[in-house]
Amino acid sequence: MAGTALPLVVTTPAQADATDCAVYMASKGYKVGPSVKKACYLAENTVNGTAFCETSLKVMGVRAHHAEEACRRGAR
């Protein structure tokens, strides 16, 4: 076994995005339509996106802790 080399596998951490936000919302029983997708997009793609996302989701009637977690996942 001397001189046997094992390949080195390097992986990168999973990248969060608006899809992660939407999947989380669906997993909590919320309908993921255009408004939820837009809120999740804001979390990922805008300055202060998490705050905009959370506010948007809360206005739609999403529970605060669900909105916070969904938007956090979208902004990671």
Side-chain angles (χ1 to χ4, degrees):
M1 291 297 209
T4 302
L6 297 175
L8 177 63
V9 178
V10 178
T11 61
T12 58
Q15 295 296 314
D17 60 15
T19 302
D20 294 330
C21 171
V23 167
Y24 176 80
M25 291 296 295
S27 77
K28 296 300 177 189
Y30 296 99
K31 179 181 176 190
V32 179
S35 296
V36 169
K37 289 178 182 177
K38 182 178 179 181
C40 291
Y41 174 86
L42 292 171
E44 180 185 7
N45 294 295
T46 62
V47 174
N48 296 321
T50 303
F52 291 133
C53 174
E54 288 179 21
T55 300
S56 297
L57 292 176
K58 289 174 189 175
V59 166
M60 289 181 243
V62 173
R63 291 181 179 179
H65 65 281
H66 289 158
E68 291 163 7
E69 179 62 18
C71 297
R72 185 188 66 77
R73 289 178 184 219
R76 273 194 275 172

